[in-house]
Structures are given as C-alpha cells and as structure tokens.
Amino acid sequence: MKLLENISLKSYNTYGMDVKARWFAELRSDEDIADFYSTISLEQLPVLILGGGSNVLFTKDFPGSIAYIRSKGIVKLMEDDRHIYLKIAAGEVWDDVVNYTVDNGWGGIENLSMIPGSIGAAPVQNIGAYGVEIKDVIWSVEVADIAARHYRAFRPADCDFGYRSSIFKKQGKDRLVVTSVCLKLDKQPVLNIDYGDIRIELEKSGIMQPTIADVRNTIMAIRRRKLPDPAVIGNAGSFFKNPIVTAEELESLTSDHPGIVAFAHNDSFKLAAAWLIEQCGWKGFREGDAGVHPHQPLVLVNYGAATGKDILHLANRIIESVNARFGVSLEPEVLVV
Ligand code: EPU
C-alpha cells in the first residue's frame, strides 16, 4: 500500500471533475485496508472511500486521503438446490458481477444491470432499479470496523436499509469500510418484470418466456436509451432522490397539481422527481457545460468543462424552483464533496 500525494481525481469520478486529492492510496486487499488505516496520521484525515466514483460530485480539491478500493475476487461460499451464495470483493465492478451471475443463470440482480460503480458501494447506497434493491439479495456485508479494529459481518437486518440508504452512510460512515458483499442468488430465478415498460418491451421483442438474460438485455436497452453513458457525458446517475411524502401530503399535492406522478412506497409515496423537475422547465436545460439530461431530468450532466461548483449551482437552482412551485424539497442522492 502506497500513499501518493497530490493526485488528480479526473479519471476516478464519472463526472470527470479535475480536482486533486492531497493523499491517495489504492487498496487491493483487506490487509491493504488495515495497513492504510494504521498508517494515516491526523493530517491525512478526513478519509473518503472511493469505489467507481459514480455517485460523487467533487466541488473542490480533497484535503485528506482517498481510499480507492480495488480488491478483486468472487468466491462460491455454498450452494444448495435452490440457491447459490457468492462472496464478492468490494473492488469488483458491479455490472461485471451482474453479467457473470446472469451468464451462470443465477437470478436476483439482473434488474440492476448497468448500474455504474463497485460492489462495495452497492450496499452503502442500497442501489435499486426497475423494482429491485440490492437489499433483497444480500446475505451479508463484510466490513472492516475502523474504530473497533476488527472485521465484522452485518446481516441485512443490521444494515438499516432504506431507499438509497443504509447504516454504512449513517452511523457507520467513516467507521465501517465494506470489504466484501455476500449475495444469495436464485438458481431457479423468479423474474421481476412489472416495473414500467419491461414486460411490454419483452413482448414487443416477441419474447414470451423471458430468461434473466432477456431481462438484462431489455433493461440495458432501456438504460442506453434514457440515461447518458458516463464514458461519453459526465454524470452520476440520478442526482436527486425521489421525495417521500405521506398520503395526506400527496392528496393535497394532487389537488393542486392533478398530473403529479407518485408510486406507493411502504406506507408512504415516492414522488417522481423527474416529473417535478420537468414541470419546472428544466428538462434539456444547459448553461455552459452544466446541464439537465434531455431524456431523464433527474440526471445532471457535465458536457465537458463544467466544474463541480457549476453542477452544484444548477442543482441548487432546481431545488429552489421545485420548492417554490410544489413546496417539495429535493435532496441530492449524489455525495457532494
Ligand atoms: N418522468 C417524467 N419525465 C421524464 C422522465 C420520467 O415525468 O423525463 C416520470 C415518469 O412519470 C416516470 C417516472 O418519472 O414514470 C419515473 O421515471 P423512471 O422510471 O425513469 O425512474 P426514476 O424514478 O426517475 C429511479 C432511479 C433510477 C433508476 C430508475 C429505474 C432514483 C433516484 N432513481 O429513477 O436510478 O434507474 O428509477 O428503476 O430512485 C440512479 O439512482 O442513479 C438511477 C439512475
């Protein structure tokens, strides 16, 4: 493990922000992680754990240390007639793992195809798409507990999973570093194709008895159509979370704004932030190189030379206008640093 100084983060974040990290270490194993935390001094704090850099907006140079998690490996832990349990190192690329599981016919994460980022970040965010969240297939999350100086495994019930949220970004932030994730996958997959247009798209392609590979291909086609490819246009997926409101709040919003789009979410409702932003006229907006994606207004994009401050400024203008029109507060989903 080497601690490097003054490293550009441009190629380590999908917004392509050219900021510098004062210190930077590539961690390839659990030993490297332990080594890193026992080596860094007070002046090398704070620490930011970075996986794929696909959910972060850097607005300035980072004064502390970046722990860039690069551990690799997929191990079959156990298997029975129905399930297979895989232990996957935090530094594996999420979509490579999805591809691998789909190739093997193991179901559970095919709806999470093409989400950028690393395995380690997946439980932190409780990544979700097309009706599935990673919490649904997590068997355990293995972490290095920096404060207690030992390794632990968290079962899903201990992870406090919520919508794009978990213990790892709340009380566990700065204390728990995900080292690997164990997934319980289904050898006789049950498909989840009720979200949005998935079923219709499958039927349109003439697929009447879809496999998980068909579901993956369909979702990849939808994502390619709607979402910008970070390799081409800088972005971090949805910039905002869909706001959660109570039934009473929804009723009053619906009477003022009859077209409002909402989905049931546990005992509450999730408003489609994309709709709120579109109604405020932001869809396709561009100022300099900071913009709102023309197909999915939840995604703020960097067309090339926008800075993190430009994107943040745009985000704040959107938050203000949605608040002024609907009285609803949008919250960033992306980590603003
Ligand atoms: N909508 C509009 N205008 C648009 C796009 C969408 O009004 O231009 C409305 C539509 O009514 C649509 C609704 O918004 O039915 C929901 O749109 P969509 O299905 O595209 O999903 P989303 O709620 O906007 C969430 C996730 C995405 C995930 C999709 C699909 C969040 C913050 N975002 O977006 O995740 O891919 O569902 O499951 O929950 C991400 O987190 O980075 C991400 C891309």
Side-chain angles (χ1 to χ4, degrees), residues 53-117:
S54 56
N55 203 50
V56 59
L57 176 70
F58 287 110
T59 59
K60 51 183 180 296
D61 289 343
F62 187 70
S65 305
I66 301 278
Y68 179 44
I69 309 288
R70 293 275 283 158
S71 50
K72 298 283 177 196
I74 304 181
V75 177
K76 228 183 259 181
L77 282 184
M78 44 183 176
E79 184 169 6
D80 56 31
D81 291 348
R82 258 324 280 277
H83 295 110
I84 180 142
Y85 299 75
L86 298 179
K87 174 172 162 166
I88 308 155
E92 287 282 352
V93 173
W94 171 262
D95 195 56
D96 291 351
V97 175
V98 179
N99 193 30
Y100 169 76
T101 61
V102 170
D103 269 357
N104 279 284
W106 303 325
I109 54 175
E110 59 280 0
N111 288 38
L112 306 179
S113 286
M114 253 177 96
I115 294 184

Short mmCIF file of all heavy atoms in Angstrom, two decimals, residues 53-117:
data_model
loop_
_atom_site.label_atom_id
_atom_site.label_comp_id
_atom_site.label_asym_id
_atom_site.label_seq_id
_atom_site.Cartn_x
_atom_site.Cartn_y
_atom_site.Cartn_z
N GLY A 53 -16.51 5.82 -8.17
CA GLY A 53 -16.62 7.27 -8.32
C GLY A 53 -17.84 7.68 -9.13
O GLY A 53 -17.85 8.74 -9.76
N SER A 54 -18.88 6.84 -9.10
CA SER A 54 -20.03 7.09 -9.96
C SER A 54 -21.20 7.74 -9.22
O SER A 54 -22.27 7.92 -9.79
CB SER A 54 -20.50 5.78 -10.60
OG SER A 54 -20.79 4.85 -9.58
N ASN A 55 -20.98 8.06 -7.95
CA ASN A 55 -22.08 8.69 -7.20
C ASN A 55 -21.56 9.86 -6.37
O ASN A 55 -22.04 10.11 -5.27
CB ASN A 55 -22.76 7.64 -6.31
CG ASN A 55 -24.17 8.04 -5.98
OD1 ASN A 55 -24.95 8.39 -6.87
ND2 ASN A 55 -24.50 8.05 -4.69
N VAL A 56 -20.55 10.54 -6.93
CA VAL A 56 -19.91 11.61 -6.16
C VAL A 56 -19.71 12.83 -7.06
O VAL A 56 -19.44 12.69 -8.26
CB VAL A 56 -18.57 11.09 -5.56
CG1 VAL A 56 -17.62 10.64 -6.63
CG2 VAL A 56 -17.89 12.14 -4.70
N LEU A 57 -19.93 14.02 -6.47
CA LEU A 57 -19.64 15.26 -7.19
C LEU A 57 -18.55 15.99 -6.40
O LEU A 57 -18.78 16.43 -5.27
CB LEU A 57 -20.91 16.14 -7.27
CG LEU A 57 -20.68 17.51 -7.91
CD1 LEU A 57 -20.40 17.38 -9.41
CD2 LEU A 57 -21.86 18.45 -7.68
N PHE A 58 -17.37 16.09 -6.99
CA PHE A 58 -16.29 16.83 -6.34
C PHE A 58 -16.41 18.31 -6.71
O PHE A 58 -16.42 18.66 -7.90
CB PHE A 58 -14.92 16.31 -6.80
CG PHE A 58 -14.56 14.97 -6.22
CD1 PHE A 58 -14.51 13.84 -7.02
CD2 PHE A 58 -14.25 14.84 -4.87
CE1 PHE A 58 -14.18 12.60 -6.50
CE2 PHE A 58 -13.91 13.61 -4.33
CZ PHE A 58 -13.87 12.48 -5.14
N THR A 59 -16.52 19.16 -5.70
CA THR A 59 -16.65 20.60 -5.97
C THR A 59 -15.35 21.34 -5.66
O THR A 59 -15.24 22.53 -5.92
CB THR A 59 -17.78 21.21 -5.11
OG1 THR A 59 -17.48 20.98 -3.74
CG2 THR A 59 -19.13 20.59 -5.46
N LYS A 60 -14.39 20.65 -5.05
CA LYS A 60 -13.09 21.28 -4.75
C LYS A 60 -12.06 20.20 -4.50
O LYS A 60 -12.40 19.01 -4.44
CB LYS A 60 -13.23 22.19 -3.52
CG LYS A 60 -13.88 21.54 -2.30
CD LYS A 60 -14.02 22.57 -1.20
CE LYS A 60 -14.65 22.03 0.06
NZ LYS A 60 -16.02 21.56 0.03
N ASP A 61 -10.79 20.61 -4.35
CA ASP A 61 -9.75 19.64 -4.04
C ASP A 61 -10.08 18.97 -2.71
O ASP A 61 -10.67 19.59 -1.82
CB ASP A 61 -8.38 20.34 -3.91
CG ASP A 61 -7.87 20.82 -5.27
OD1 ASP A 61 -8.38 20.34 -6.30
OD2 ASP A 61 -6.97 21.68 -5.27
N PHE A 62 -9.69 17.70 -2.60
CA PHE A 62 -9.99 16.98 -1.35
C PHE A 62 -8.76 17.06 -0.44
O PHE A 62 -7.67 16.62 -0.82
CB PHE A 62 -10.35 15.51 -1.67
CG PHE A 62 -10.82 14.78 -0.46
CD1 PHE A 62 -12.05 15.08 0.12
CD2 PHE A 62 -10.03 13.80 0.14
CE1 PHE A 62 -12.48 14.43 1.26
CE2 PHE A 62 -10.46 13.14 1.28
CZ PHE A 62 -11.69 13.46 1.83
N PRO A 63 -8.94 17.61 0.77
CA PRO A 63 -7.78 17.90 1.61
C PRO A 63 -7.20 16.68 2.35
O PRO A 63 -6.09 16.75 2.87
CB PRO A 63 -8.33 18.91 2.63
CG PRO A 63 -9.79 18.59 2.71
CD PRO A 63 -10.20 18.10 1.35
N GLY A 64 -7.95 15.58 2.41
CA GLY A 64 -7.50 14.42 3.18
C GLY A 64 -7.02 13.29 2.28
O GLY A 64 -6.34 13.53 1.28
N SER A 65 -7.39 12.04 2.65
CA SER A 65 -6.90 10.86 1.93
C SER A 65 -8.05 10.13 1.24
O SER A 65 -9.10 9.92 1.84
CB SER A 65 -6.26 9.87 2.90
OG SER A 65 -5.25 10.50 3.63
N ILE A 66 -7.80 9.73 0.01
CA ILE A 66 -8.77 8.91 -0.72
C ILE A 66 -8.35 7.44 -0.59
O ILE A 66 -7.19 7.10 -0.88
CB ILE A 66 -8.79 9.28 -2.22
CG1 ILE A 66 -9.13 10.75 -2.43
CG2 ILE A 66 -9.70 8.33 -3.00
CD1 ILE A 66 -10.59 11.11 -2.41
N ALA A 67 -9.27 6.62 -0.14
CA ALA A 67 -9.02 5.17 -0.10
C ALA A 67 -9.74 4.57 -1.29
O ALA A 67 -10.98 4.46 -1.31
CB ALA A 67 -9.55 4.59 1.20
N TYR A 68 -8.96 4.23 -2.31
CA TYR A 68 -9.55 3.73 -3.57
C TYR A 68 -9.55 2.20 -3.50
O TYR A 68 -8.50 1.56 -3.57
CB TYR A 68 -8.70 4.26 -4.73
CG TYR A 68 -9.15 3.83 -6.10
CD1 TYR A 68 -10.48 3.83 -6.47
CD2 TYR A 68 -8.20 3.46 -7.05
CE1 TYR A 68 -10.88 3.45 -7.74
CE2 TYR A 68 -8.59 3.08 -8.33
CZ TYR A 68 -9.93 3.08 -8.67
OH TYR A 68 -10.31 2.70 -9.93
N ILE A 69 -10.74 1.65 -3.34
CA ILE A 69 -10.86 0.21 -3.07
C ILE A 69 -10.81 -0.59 -4.37
O ILE A 69 -11.64 -0.38 -5.26
CB ILE A 69 -12.19 -0.09 -2.32
CG1 ILE A 69 -12.38 0.82 -1.10
CG2 ILE A 69 -12.28 -1.57 -1.96
CD1 ILE A 69 -11.50 0.54 0.07
N ARG A 70 -9.82 -1.48 -4.47
CA ARG A 70 -9.60 -2.21 -5.72
C ARG A 70 -9.52 -3.72 -5.52
O ARG A 70 -9.02 -4.44 -6.39
CB ARG A 70 -8.28 -1.72 -6.35
CG ARG A 70 -8.34 -0.30 -6.80
CD ARG A 70 -8.92 -0.19 -8.17
NE ARG A 70 -7.92 -0.58 -9.17
CZ ARG A 70 -8.20 -0.98 -10.38
NH1 ARG A 70 -9.46 -1.10 -10.75
NH2 ARG A 70 -7.25 -1.29 -11.23
N SER A 71 -9.98 -4.21 -4.36
CA SER A 71 -9.86 -5.65 -4.10
C SER A 71 -10.73 -6.43 -5.09
O SER A 71 -11.82 -5.98 -5.48
CB SER A 71 -10.31 -5.95 -2.67
OG SER A 71 -11.57 -5.35 -2.44
N LYS A 72 -10.25 -7.60 -5.52
CA LYS A 72 -10.96 -8.37 -6.55
C LYS A 72 -11.19 -9.80 -6.07
O LYS A 72 -10.44 -10.31 -5.23
CB LYS A 72 -10.13 -8.42 -7.83
CG LYS A 72 -9.88 -7.07 -8.47
CD LYS A 72 -11.10 -6.57 -9.21
CE LYS A 72 -10.82 -5.18 -9.77
NZ LYS A 72 -11.99 -4.47 -10.16
N GLY A 73 -12.19 -10.43 -6.64
CA GLY A 73 -12.39 -11.86 -6.37
C GLY A 73 -13.85 -12.20 -6.11
O GLY A 73 -14.57 -11.45 -5.45
N ILE A 74 -14.28 -13.33 -6.69
CA ILE A 74 -15.63 -13.85 -6.44
C ILE A 74 -15.45 -15.30 -5.98
O ILE A 74 -14.81 -16.10 -6.67
CB ILE A 74 -16.50 -13.83 -7.72
CG1 ILE A 74 -16.56 -12.41 -8.30
CG2 ILE A 74 -17.90 -14.37 -7.43
CD1 ILE A 74 -17.42 -12.28 -9.56
N VAL A 75 -16.01 -15.60 -4.80
CA VAL A 75 -15.86 -16.94 -4.25
C VAL A 75 -17.25 -17.53 -4.02
O VAL A 75 -18.14 -16.85 -3.50
CB VAL A 75 -15.11 -16.87 -2.88
CG1 VAL A 75 -15.01 -18.25 -2.26
CG2 VAL A 75 -13.75 -16.24 -3.06
N LYS A 76 -17.42 -18.80 -4.44
CA LYS A 76 -18.67 -19.51 -4.18
C LYS A 76 -18.62 -19.98 -2.72
O LYS A 76 -17.77 -20.81 -2.37
CB LYS A 76 -18.76 -20.72 -5.09
CG LYS A 76 -20.06 -20.86 -5.80
CD LYS A 76 -20.10 -22.13 -6.63
CE LYS A 76 -19.85 -21.88 -8.10
NZ LYS A 76 -19.90 -23.11 -8.91
N LEU A 77 -19.50 -19.44 -1.87
CA LEU A 77 -19.43 -19.81 -0.44
C LEU A 77 -20.12 -21.13 -0.18
O LEU A 77 -19.62 -22.00 0.51
CB LEU A 77 -20.13 -18.75 0.41
CG LEU A 77 -19.40 -17.45 0.70
CD1 LEU A 77 -20.24 -16.61 1.64
CD2 LEU A 77 -18.04 -17.73 1.31
N MET A 78 -21.35 -21.27 -0.68
CA MET A 78 -22.09 -22.52 -0.54
C MET A 78 -23.18 -22.56 -1.60
O MET A 78 -23.45 -21.56 -2.28
CB MET A 78 -22.67 -22.67 0.86
CG MET A 78 -23.32 -21.43 1.38
SD MET A 78 -23.89 -21.69 3.06
CE MET A 78 -24.48 -20.07 3.48
N GLU A 79 -23.82 -23.69 -1.66
CA GLU A 79 -24.79 -23.90 -2.74
C GLU A 79 -25.74 -25.01 -2.30
O GLU A 79 -25.31 -25.97 -1.66
CB GLU A 79 -23.98 -24.35 -3.97
CG GLU A 79 -24.72 -24.53 -5.20
CD GLU A 79 -23.79 -24.72 -6.42
OE1 GLU A 79 -22.55 -24.81 -6.27
OE2 GLU A 79 -24.33 -24.79 -7.51
N ASP A 80 -27.04 -24.85 -2.60
CA ASP A 80 -27.95 -25.98 -2.43
C ASP A 80 -28.80 -26.07 -3.70
O ASP A 80 -28.46 -25.45 -4.71
CB ASP A 80 -28.80 -25.83 -1.14
CG ASP A 80 -29.56 -24.51 -1.10
OD1 ASP A 80 -29.93 -24.02 -2.19
OD2 ASP A 80 -29.80 -23.97 -0.01
N ASP A 81 -29.92 -26.80 -3.64
CA ASP A 81 -30.70 -26.97 -4.87
C ASP A 81 -31.25 -25.65 -5.39
O ASP A 81 -31.38 -25.45 -6.59
CB ASP A 81 -31.90 -27.90 -4.61
CG ASP A 81 -31.41 -29.31 -4.37
OD1 ASP A 81 -30.21 -29.55 -4.64
OD2 ASP A 81 -32.20 -30.14 -3.89
N ARG A 82 -31.61 -24.77 -4.46
CA ARG A 82 -32.29 -23.53 -4.84
C ARG A 82 -31.35 -22.33 -4.99
O ARG A 82 -31.53 -21.48 -5.85
CB ARG A 82 -33.30 -23.15 -3.74
CG ARG A 82 -34.79 -23.41 -3.91
CD ARG A 82 -35.35 -23.23 -5.28
NE ARG A 82 -35.64 -21.89 -5.74
CZ ARG A 82 -36.73 -21.22 -5.47
NH1 ARG A 82 -37.67 -21.72 -4.72
NH2 ARG A 82 -36.93 -20.01 -5.98
N HIS A 83 -30.36 -22.25 -4.09
CA HIS A 83 -29.60 -21.00 -4.00
C HIS A 83 -28.10 -21.19 -4.14
O HIS A 83 -27.58 -22.28 -3.87
CB HIS A 83 -29.90 -20.31 -2.65
CG HIS A 83 -31.31 -19.88 -2.53
ND1 HIS A 83 -32.21 -20.48 -1.67
CD2 HIS A 83 -32.01 -18.93 -3.20
CE1 HIS A 83 -33.40 -19.91 -1.81
NE2 HIS A 83 -33.30 -18.97 -2.73
N ILE A 84 -27.48 -20.10 -4.52
CA ILE A 84 -26.01 -20.06 -4.51
C ILE A 84 -25.60 -18.80 -3.75
O ILE A 84 -26.26 -17.77 -3.87
CB ILE A 84 -25.44 -20.10 -5.94
CG1 ILE A 84 -23.92 -20.06 -5.89
CG2 ILE A 84 -25.94 -18.97 -6.81
CD1 ILE A 84 -23.29 -20.93 -6.93
N TYR A 85 -24.56 -18.93 -2.95
CA TYR A 85 -24.11 -17.81 -2.12
C TYR A 85 -22.72 -17.41 -2.61
O TYR A 85 -21.81 -18.23 -2.61
CB TYR A 85 -24.05 -18.22 -0.64
CG TYR A 85 -25.38 -18.65 -0.08
CD1 TYR A 85 -25.93 -19.90 -0.40
CD2 TYR A 85 -26.12 -17.80 0.75
CE1 TYR A 85 -27.16 -20.28 0.10
CE2 TYR A 85 -27.35 -18.18 1.26
CZ TYR A 85 -27.87 -19.42 0.92
OH TYR A 85 -29.09 -19.81 1.42
N LEU A 86 -22.61 -16.15 -3.04
CA LEU A 86 -21.33 -15.67 -3.57
C LEU A 86 -20.76 -14.60 -2.66
O LEU A 86 -21.49 -13.70 -2.22
CB LEU A 86 -21.54 -15.04 -4.95
CG LEU A 86 -22.07 -15.90 -6.09
CD1 LEU A 86 -22.19 -15.05 -7.35
CD2 LEU A 86 -21.16 -17.10 -6.34
N LYS A 87 -19.46 -14.71 -2.41
CA LYS A 87 -18.78 -13.64 -1.67
C LYS A 87 -17.93 -12.86 -2.68
O LYS A 87 -17.09 -13.43 -3.36
CB LYS A 87 -17.90 -14.25 -0.59
CG LYS A 87 -17.05 -13.22 0.13
CD LYS A 87 -16.33 -13.84 1.32
CE LYS A 87 -15.17 -12.96 1.74
NZ LYS A 87 -14.65 -13.33 3.05
N ILE A 88 -18.21 -11.56 -2.76
CA ILE A 88 -17.60 -10.75 -3.82
C ILE A 88 -16.81 -9.60 -3.20
O ILE A 88 -17.35 -8.85 -2.37
CB ILE A 88 -18.70 -10.19 -4.75
CG1 ILE A 88 -19.61 -11.34 -5.22
CG2 ILE A 88 -18.10 -9.47 -5.94
CD1 ILE A 88 -21.00 -10.90 -5.60
N ALA A 89 -15.58 -9.45 -3.63
CA ALA A 89 -14.72 -8.40 -3.06
C ALA A 89 -15.23 -7.02 -3.45
O ALA A 89 -15.75 -6.82 -4.56
CB ALA A 89 -13.29 -8.59 -3.53
N ALA A 90 -15.05 -6.06 -2.54
CA ALA A 90 -15.63 -4.72 -2.69
C ALA A 90 -15.19 -4.00 -3.96
O ALA A 90 -15.92 -3.18 -4.50
CB ALA A 90 -15.29 -3.87 -1.47
N GLY A 91 -13.99 -4.30 -4.44
CA GLY A 91 -13.47 -3.56 -5.60
C GLY A 91 -13.92 -4.10 -6.94
O GLY A 91 -13.59 -3.53 -7.98
N GLU A 92 -14.70 -5.18 -6.95
CA GLU A 92 -15.21 -5.69 -8.23
C GLU A 92 -16.19 -4.67 -8.83
O GLU A 92 -16.90 -3.97 -8.11
CB GLU A 92 -15.96 -7.02 -8.03
CG GLU A 92 -15.05 -8.19 -7.73
CD GLU A 92 -14.35 -8.75 -8.97
OE1 GLU A 92 -14.66 -8.33 -10.10
OE2 GLU A 92 -13.47 -9.61 -8.78
N VAL A 93 -16.23 -4.63 -10.16
CA VAL A 93 -17.15 -3.71 -10.85
C VAL A 93 -18.55 -4.31 -10.82
O VAL A 93 -18.73 -5.48 -11.19
CB VAL A 93 -16.68 -3.49 -12.31
CG1 VAL A 93 -17.70 -2.68 -13.10
CG2 VAL A 93 -15.31 -2.81 -12.32
N TRP A 94 -19.51 -3.53 -10.34
CA TRP A 94 -20.87 -4.06 -10.15
C TRP A 94 -21.40 -4.78 -11.40
O TRP A 94 -21.85 -5.93 -11.33
CB TRP A 94 -21.83 -2.94 -9.72
CG TRP A 94 -23.25 -3.42 -9.75
CD1 TRP A 94 -24.17 -3.23 -10.72
CD2 TRP A 94 -23.85 -4.28 -8.77
NE1 TRP A 94 -25.33 -3.90 -10.41
CE2 TRP A 94 -25.15 -4.55 -9.22
CE3 TRP A 94 -23.42 -4.85 -7.56
CZ2 TRP A 94 -26.03 -5.36 -8.52
CZ3 TRP A 94 -24.30 -5.66 -6.85
CH2 TRP A 94 -25.59 -5.91 -7.33
N ASP A 95 -21.35 -4.11 -12.55
CA ASP A 95 -22.01 -4.70 -13.71
C ASP A 95 -21.28 -5.94 -14.23
O ASP A 95 -21.90 -6.80 -14.85
CB ASP A 95 -22.21 -3.67 -14.83
CG ASP A 95 -23.21 -4.19 -15.86
OD1 ASP A 95 -24.35 -4.52 -15.47
OD2 ASP A 95 -22.85 -4.30 -17.03
N ASP A 96 -19.98 -6.04 -13.99
CA ASP A 96 -19.26 -7.27 -14.37
C ASP A 96 -19.83 -8.44 -13.57
O ASP A 96 -19.96 -9.56 -14.07
CB ASP A 96 -17.76 -7.15 -14.07
CG ASP A 96 -17.07 -6.15 -14.97
OD1 ASP A 96 -17.71 -5.68 -15.93
OD2 ASP A 96 -15.89 -5.82 -14.70
N VAL A 97 -20.17 -8.17 -12.31
CA VAL A 97 -20.72 -9.22 -11.45
C VAL A 97 -22.12 -9.60 -11.94
O VAL A 97 -22.46 -10.79 -12.01
CB VAL A 97 -20.73 -8.76 -9.97
CG1 VAL A 97 -21.40 -9.79 -9.09
CG2 VAL A 97 -19.30 -8.48 -9.51
N VAL A 98 -22.92 -8.59 -12.30
CA VAL A 98 -24.26 -8.89 -12.81
C VAL A 98 -24.13 -9.78 -14.05
O VAL A 98 -24.80 -10.82 -14.18
CB VAL A 98 -25.05 -7.60 -13.16
CG1 VAL A 98 -26.43 -7.96 -13.70
CG2 VAL A 98 -25.17 -6.69 -11.94
N ASN A 99 -23.24 -9.40 -14.92
CA ASN A 99 -23.02 -10.15 -16.16
C ASN A 99 -22.65 -11.61 -15.85
O ASN A 99 -23.20 -12.55 -16.42
CB ASN A 99 -21.91 -9.45 -16.95
CG ASN A 99 -21.83 -9.95 -18.37
OD1 ASN A 99 -22.84 -10.36 -18.94
ND2 ASN A 99 -20.64 -9.96 -18.92
N TYR A 100 -21.73 -11.76 -14.90
CA TYR A 100 -21.26 -13.09 -14.51
C TYR A 100 -22.42 -13.94 -13.94
O TYR A 100 -22.58 -15.12 -14.30
CB TYR A 100 -20.14 -12.91 -13.48
CG TYR A 100 -19.70 -14.14 -12.76
CD1 TYR A 100 -18.88 -15.09 -13.39
CD2 TYR A 100 -20.08 -14.38 -11.43
CE1 TYR A 100 -18.45 -16.23 -12.70
CE2 TYR A 100 -19.66 -15.51 -10.75
CZ TYR A 100 -18.85 -16.43 -11.39
OH TYR A 100 -18.44 -17.56 -10.72
N THR A 101 -23.25 -13.34 -13.09
CA THR A 101 -24.33 -14.12 -12.48
C THR A 101 -25.39 -14.49 -13.53
O THR A 101 -25.90 -15.60 -13.53
CB THR A 101 -24.99 -13.36 -11.31
OG1 THR A 101 -25.57 -12.14 -11.78
CG2 THR A 101 -24.00 -13.06 -10.20
N VAL A 102 -25.67 -13.54 -14.43
CA VAL A 102 -26.66 -13.82 -15.48
C VAL A 102 -26.14 -14.92 -16.41
O VAL A 102 -26.88 -15.85 -16.77
CB VAL A 102 -27.03 -12.53 -16.25
CG1 VAL A 102 -27.86 -12.86 -17.49
CG2 VAL A 102 -27.80 -11.58 -15.34
N ASP A 103 -24.87 -14.85 -16.75
CA ASP A 103 -24.26 -15.89 -17.61
C ASP A 103 -24.41 -17.27 -16.99
O ASP A 103 -24.53 -18.27 -17.69
CB ASP A 103 -22.76 -15.61 -17.78
CG ASP A 103 -22.50 -14.74 -19.00
OD1 ASP A 103 -23.47 -14.42 -19.71
OD2 ASP A 103 -21.33 -14.36 -19.20
N ASN A 104 -24.36 -17.32 -15.66
CA ASN A 104 -24.47 -18.60 -14.97
C ASN A 104 -25.91 -19.01 -14.68
O ASN A 104 -26.15 -20.06 -14.08
CB ASN A 104 -23.69 -18.55 -13.65
CG ASN A 104 -22.20 -18.76 -13.89
OD1 ASN A 104 -21.75 -19.88 -14.12
ND2 ASN A 104 -21.45 -17.67 -13.88
N GLY A 105 -26.86 -18.13 -15.04
CA GLY A 105 -28.27 -18.45 -14.82
C GLY A 105 -28.73 -18.25 -13.37
O GLY A 105 -29.75 -18.79 -12.96
N TRP A 106 -27.96 -17.47 -12.58
CA TRP A 106 -28.35 -17.22 -11.20
C TRP A 106 -29.11 -15.90 -11.13
O TRP A 106 -28.58 -14.84 -11.49
CB TRP A 106 -27.11 -17.14 -10.30
CG TRP A 106 -26.26 -18.39 -10.37
CD1 TRP A 106 -26.70 -19.68 -10.52
CD2 TRP A 106 -24.83 -18.46 -10.31
NE1 TRP A 106 -25.64 -20.55 -10.54
CE2 TRP A 106 -24.47 -19.83 -10.41
CE3 TRP A 106 -23.81 -17.52 -10.17
CZ2 TRP A 106 -23.15 -20.27 -10.39
CZ3 TRP A 106 -22.50 -17.94 -10.14
CH2 TRP A 106 -22.17 -19.31 -10.25
N GLY A 107 -30.34 -15.94 -10.66
CA GLY A 107 -31.20 -14.76 -10.68
C GLY A 107 -31.14 -13.93 -9.41
O GLY A 107 -30.78 -14.43 -8.34
N GLY A 108 -31.53 -12.67 -9.54
CA GLY A 108 -31.64 -11.80 -8.37
C GLY A 108 -31.17 -10.38 -8.63
O GLY A 108 -31.74 -9.43 -8.11
N ILE A 109 -30.12 -10.24 -9.48
CA ILE A 109 -29.61 -8.87 -9.67
C ILE A 109 -29.68 -8.42 -11.13
O ILE A 109 -29.17 -7.35 -11.46
CB ILE A 109 -28.18 -8.70 -9.10
CG1 ILE A 109 -27.21 -9.74 -9.67
CG2 ILE A 109 -28.20 -8.76 -7.58
CD1 ILE A 109 -25.75 -9.52 -9.22
N GLU A 110 -30.36 -9.21 -11.97
CA GLU A 110 -30.41 -8.85 -13.39
C GLU A 110 -31.09 -7.49 -13.62
O GLU A 110 -30.74 -6.77 -14.55
CB GLU A 110 -31.09 -9.96 -14.22
CG GLU A 110 -32.52 -10.31 -13.85
CD GLU A 110 -32.63 -11.23 -12.63
OE1 GLU A 110 -31.59 -11.61 -12.07
OE2 GLU A 110 -33.77 -11.57 -12.24
N ASN A 111 -32.05 -7.12 -12.72
CA ASN A 111 -32.71 -5.81 -12.90
C ASN A 111 -31.76 -4.66 -12.57
O ASN A 111 -32.05 -3.51 -12.89
CB ASN A 111 -33.95 -5.72 -12.02
CG ASN A 111 -35.08 -6.59 -12.52
OD1 ASN A 111 -34.83 -7.68 -13.00
ND2 ASN A 111 -36.31 -6.12 -12.41
N LEU A 112 -30.66 -4.99 -11.91
CA LEU A 112 -29.70 -3.94 -11.53
C LEU A 112 -28.56 -3.86 -12.55
O LEU A 112 -27.47 -3.39 -12.24
CB LEU A 112 -29.17 -4.21 -10.12
CG LEU A 112 -30.25 -4.39 -9.04
CD1 LEU A 112 -29.64 -4.68 -7.68
CD2 LEU A 112 -31.12 -3.14 -8.94
N SER A 113 -28.86 -4.31 -13.76
CA SER A 113 -27.87 -4.28 -14.84
C SER A 113 -27.47 -2.85 -15.16
O SER A 113 -28.30 -1.94 -15.12
CB SER A 113 -28.46 -4.91 -16.11
OG SER A 113 -28.53 -6.30 -15.97
N MET A 114 -26.20 -2.70 -15.48
CA MET A 114 -25.64 -1.45 -16.00
C MET A 114 -25.60 -0.30 -14.99
O MET A 114 -25.39 0.85 -15.39
CB MET A 114 -26.39 -1.00 -17.25
CG MET A 114 -25.57 -1.20 -18.51
SD MET A 114 -26.50 -0.74 -19.95
CE MET A 114 -25.94 0.92 -20.24
N ILE A 115 -25.84 -0.60 -13.72
CA ILE A 115 -25.64 0.47 -12.74
C ILE A 115 -24.13 0.64 -12.59
O ILE A 115 -23.42 -0.34 -12.35
CB ILE A 115 -26.30 0.12 -11.38
CG1 ILE A 115 -27.81 0.07 -11.56
CG2 ILE A 115 -25.90 1.12 -10.30
CD1 ILE A 115 -28.59 -0.17 -10.29
N PRO A 116 -23.64 1.87 -12.78
CA PRO A 116 -22.19 2.04 -12.66
C PRO A 116 -21.75 1.90 -11.20
O PRO A 116 -22.57 2.03 -10.30
CB PRO A 116 -21.96 3.49 -13.13
CG PRO A 116 -23.27 4.02 -13.57
CD PRO A 116 -24.34 3.12 -13.08
N GLY A 117 -20.48 1.62 -10.99
CA GLY A 117 -19.97 1.61 -9.62
C GLY A 117 -19.44 0.26 -9.21
O GLY A 117 -19.40 -0.69 -10.00
#
